[in-house]
């Protein structure tokens, strides 16, 4: 694990502890960065949004920045290569890559899942939060803030977000894919 990733994990743990939040780290699938596993449960974000998903947020120059999200790293982002999150401001900025993404499960019911994308340009990183909300019919993807500096916060919310969670011991799933931890 790189020093940068260690610092990011430590900062995230400090944030979670400071806010009295606990979370379980999930294991990202080796072949598909849209899937992670933990304790007999599969988490699959592949169908919750149409990728690449887009949203916008306040900017400086220009006054609105556009953001493009594709968890597979399929967003071309200037000469930074492909990113999971790309900010289009005065020029495209890589705000995090899928390599070394950290998945943290805060709650199963209602689902609250965080994915931290690191290794963006100039130490940028993104916290993507998936939050199930049974009162929200339509799934939304929103920019929340850039706070602290160069740390981007987004929320994907709606009642369908709960469908990300799939128990592997239910009859409709193939138990041969179950990961034991």
């Amino acid at each position: 694990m790189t020093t940068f990733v260690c610092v990011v994990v430590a900062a995230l743990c400090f944030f979670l502890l400071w806010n009295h939040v606990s979370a379980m780290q999930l294991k990202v699938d080796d072949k598909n960065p849209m899937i992670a596993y933990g304790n007999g449960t599969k988490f699959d974000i592949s169908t919750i949004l149409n990728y690449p998903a887009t949203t916008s947020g306040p900017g400086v120059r220009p006054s609105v920045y556009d953001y493009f999200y594709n968890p597979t790293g399929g967003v071309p982002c200037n000469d930074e290569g492909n990113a999971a999150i790309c900010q289009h401001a005065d020029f495209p900025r890589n705000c995090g890559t899928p390599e070394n993404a950290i998945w943290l499960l805060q709650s199963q019911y209602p689902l609250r899942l965080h994915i931290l994308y690191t290794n963006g340009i100039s130490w940028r990183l993104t916290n993507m939060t998936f939050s199930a909300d049974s009162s929200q019919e339509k799934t939304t993807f929103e920019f929340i803030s850039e706070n602290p500096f160069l740390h981007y916060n987004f929320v994907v919310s709606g009642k369908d977000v709960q469908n990300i969670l799939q128990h592997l011991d239910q009859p409709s799933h193939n138990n041969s894919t179950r990961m034991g931890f």
Side-chain angles (χ1 to χ4, degrees), residues 21 52 59 75 84 116 149:
V21 175
V75 180
L116 188 63
F149 186 62

Side-chain angles (χ1 to χ4, degrees), residues 16 41 49 54 58 64 69 80 91 160:
L16 292 171
T41 306
L49 292 171
T54 60
V64 174
Y69 173 49
E80 294 298 313
F91 65 91
D160 289 342

Side-chain angles (χ1 to χ4, degrees), residues 9-25 102 104-106 112 114 127:
V9 169
L12 184 60
C13 289
F14 176 77
F15 169 80
L16 292 171
L17 290 172
W18 182 264
N19 290 294
H20 306 286
V21 175
S22 61
M24 176 177 77
Q25 185 170 355
I102 301 165
L104 297 169
L105 176 64
Q106 183 178 340
R112 189 150 178 93
H114 303 274
N127 178 30

Side-chain angles (χ1 to χ4, degrees), residues 24-174:
M24 176 177 77
Q25 185 170 355
L26 303 175
K27 169 136 178 33
V28 180
D29 188 272
D30 293 333
K31 295 183 175 90
N32 187 343
M34 290 201 222
I35 295 174
Y37 300 91
N39 199 29
T41 306
K42 176 181 175 181
F43 300 85
D44 183 350
I45 62 171
S46 65
T47 61
I48 203 66
L49 292 171
N50 292 321
Y51 300 107
T54 60
T55 192
S56 59
V60 178
R61 282 180 225 113
S63 62
V64 174
Y65 295 161
D66 293 320
Y67 296 90
F68 299 85
Y69 173 49
N70 187 338
T72 64
V75 180
C77 201
N78 204 8
D79 58 354
E80 294 298 313
N82 286 348
I85 308 286
C86 187
Q87 176 195 61
H88 283 236
D90 49 342
F91 65 91
R93 291 177 173 90
N94 182 334
C95 297
T97 64
E99 298 79 27
N100 301 316
I102 301 165
W103 289 49
L104 297 169
L105 176 64
Q106 183 178 340
S107 169
Q108 285 191 354
Y109 301 101
L111 182 73
R112 189 150 178 93
L113 171 70
H114 303 274
I115 304 175
L116 188 63
Y117 295 99
T118 62
N119 298 333
I121 183 176
S122 301
W123 290 78
R124 282 174 169 79
L125 60 97
T126 294
N127 178 30
M128 189 69 62
T129 300
F130 292 84
S131 183
D133 181 348
S134 60
S135 68
Q136 186 180 336
E137 287 296 318
K138 185 177 180 196
T139 301
T140 60
F141 169 46
E142 298 176 272
F143 173 83
I144 301 302
S145 68
E146 180 186 343
N147 187 18
F149 186 62
L150 302 180
H151 182 135
Y152 303 91
N153 300 285
F154 297 85
V155 171
V156 176
S157 62
K159 72 175 191 172
D160 289 342
V161 171
Q162 189 65 46
N163 297 333
I164 290 171
L165 180 149
Q166 303 164 15
H167 292 288
L168 295 177
D169 57 356
Q170 291 179 346
S172 62
H173 296 284
N174 180 351

